[in-house]
């Protein structure tokens, strides 16, 4: 293997996997996303080449992974959350496979479940939700509103802060109860974590002051957080 | 904090988080699920009390966590995958909150996304699926078939091997294309991992020989695995 597609976890650097950290500590090249904790980037060897993903287009990232991979270098492509859950890891994997570069996927803790957890919200819960749907909010016109309005399960939107007014309005227009408990969690699992909860109809207004990255959770499971609040300790707070 | 609800990851012991491993290494009491890797149980201090969850009912587990927590012991409740994704972690958290025991949730790598990844299947993929739904297959009568038959996204069933013939039949009866690519992955991310892929209509027959634990994936993303196969290296194979 020369290229590893590695999940860095949801934000808290302690939530990276043991295997991922081992790979970072011995890589030749580290290509990392903007949202990856700086503490993790610092774990790469002093002489490793560090490449921030941010200014580059996806096609250029693919090319770089192939280029360094073909040279036999140990390349870690470190992505926020999990590479295969809204991470475009599949595209990078296909580019590597097409070019004949051996690669491995190292799953990470995905933000879609860990961020709600850090706010005291279980995405599934006996009696409240036996099903959870995860959707990208990036393009509000591409969302299956009818489906998401009708499910009895939890719905989690990724990258949905900008389009939250549209998303909430359309869910309600398609039949979702405006009183459905809902939450927005900003910077989940980090010391900057902020959570706002409100009925779906009022969520966009309540969350107006929050910053990206943020996750939106819609469903009865949001109510569990209030029951847990007196004793729960935030994940990122450590001890 | 005295009780930690900790995700152990999907099977491969290298996929536990750094923070989880730290907590195991200094706990007084370790309460662990059957599917947790023995290597992780062995990381607890030699004098730690180890309690296998298997013979106990959920209510008894809750009582034990409260009991040891109230005594101020450092208790790690180590669960397969993620505690808040089909893990009944919410129930344990509520029991602790009700009893006034401080606790913390440490998210883990969930099997629902990591096991497909280990088989080369991204649960979301540009152009194929921008949405993924995770459902328990434990009770086939409790599943929202109409919804899952109609989504254009990926559907992942957890604990669905026993009821796979029923689930596949009902999805098709509710309108899902019988030719939808589908897969069953047994013992994902471990050296025993086995994957069977087949069109939805033939999946139950094709997977008849597989053992639990197994995950079922339905959707066009299953086709990505075949494109990746020549070069992909299984997650658990390490190097």
């Amino acid at each position: 293997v020369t290229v590893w597609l590695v999940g860095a976890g949801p934000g808290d650097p302690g939530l990276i996997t043991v295997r991922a950290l081992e790979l970072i500590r011995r890589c030749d090249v580290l290509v990392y996303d903007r949202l990856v904790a700086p503490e993790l980037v610092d774990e790469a060897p002093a002489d490793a080449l560090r490449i921030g993903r941010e200014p580059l287009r996806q096609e250029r990232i693919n090319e770089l992974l192939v280029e360094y991979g073909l040279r036999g270098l140990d390349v870690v492509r470190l992505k926020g959350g999990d590479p295969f859950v809204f991470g475009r890891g599949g595209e990078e994997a296909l580019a590597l496979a097409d070019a004949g570069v051996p690669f491995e996927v190292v799953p990470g803790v995905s933000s879609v479940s860990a961020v709600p957890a850090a706010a005291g919200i279980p995405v599934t819960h006996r009696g409240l939700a036996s099903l959870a749907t995860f959707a990208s909010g990036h393009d509000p016109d591409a969302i299956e509103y009818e489906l998401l309005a009708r499910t009895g399960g939890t719905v989690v939107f990724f990258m949905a802060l900008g389009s939250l007014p549209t998303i909430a309005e359309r869910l309600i227009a398609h039949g979702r109860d405006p009183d459905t408990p809902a939450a927005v969690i900003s910077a989940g699992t980090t010391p900057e974590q902020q959570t706002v909860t409100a009925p779906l109809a009022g969520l966009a207004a309540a969350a107006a002051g929050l910053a990206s990255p943020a996750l939106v959770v819609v469903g009865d499971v949001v109510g569990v957080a209030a029951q847990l609040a007196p004793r729960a300790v935030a994940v990122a707070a450590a001890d």
Side-chain angles (χ1 to χ4, degrees), chain A:
Chain A
V1 178
T2 59
V3 180
W4 286 266
L5 304 176
V6 177
D12 177 349
L15 294 178
I16 195 166
T17 65
V18 169
R19 175 131 176 80
L21 189 56
E22 281 170 10
L23 291 167
I24 293 169
R25 285 181 173 158
R26 54 156 228 234
C27 72
D28 300 310
V29 181
L30 180 69
V31 183
Y32 61 96
D33 286 348
R34 185 174 56 89
L35 292 175
V36 166
E39 293 91 329
L40 297 176
V41 176
D42 289 346
E43 293 280 351
D47 60 350
L49 179 62
R50 291 164 167 77
I51 303 175
R53 182 254 185 271
E54 214 45 25
L56 305 172
R57 285 179 309 119
Q58 184 64 50
E59 294 67 28
R60 184 63 191 137
I61 296 287
N62 296 0
E63 283 167 17
L64 284 173
L65 298 179
V66 166
E67 195 178 311
Y68 290 114
L70 288 175
R71 282 160 61 183
L73 295 171
D74 280 346
V75 182
V76 169
R77 171 69 178 103
L78 191 60
K79 300 166 88 75
D82 180 283
F84 270 16
V85 182
F86 301 115
R88 304 189 69 168
E91 291 167 67
E92 295 174 7
L94 285 173
L96 292 162
D98 286 349
V101 178
F103 67 93
E104 186 182 311
V105 180
V106 181
V109 175
S110 176
S111 308
V112 294
S113 50
V115 166
I121 303 170
V123 294
T124 64
H125 190 78
R126 206 175 175 78
L128 293 182
S130 63
L131 184 140
T133 300
F134 301 92
S136 170
H138 187 62
D139 176 5
D141 292 330
I143 294 174
E144 300 183 53
Y145 292 101
E146 198 183 333
L147 190 95
L148 298 182
R150 290 175 51 194
T151 176
T154 306
V155 181
V156 178
F157 292 99
F158 190 70
M159 299 192 299
L161 197 58
S163 41
L164 183 53
T166 307
I167 291 174
E169 190 185 294
R170 293 193 192 171
L171 281 175
I172 293 167
H174 281 82
R176 192 90 190 194
D177 184 343
D179 289 329
T180 307
V184 176
I185 307 137
S186 168
T189 81
T190 77
E192 286 76 39
Q193 176 174 319
Q194 281 190 285
T195 305
V196 162
T197 61
L200 180 58
L203 187 65
L210 296 188
S212 287
L215 211 74
V216 176
V217 187
V218 180
D220 290 334
V221 292
V222 170
V224 174
Q227 293 176 262
L228 293 180
R231 285 287 162 180
V233 178
V235 169
D239 38 58

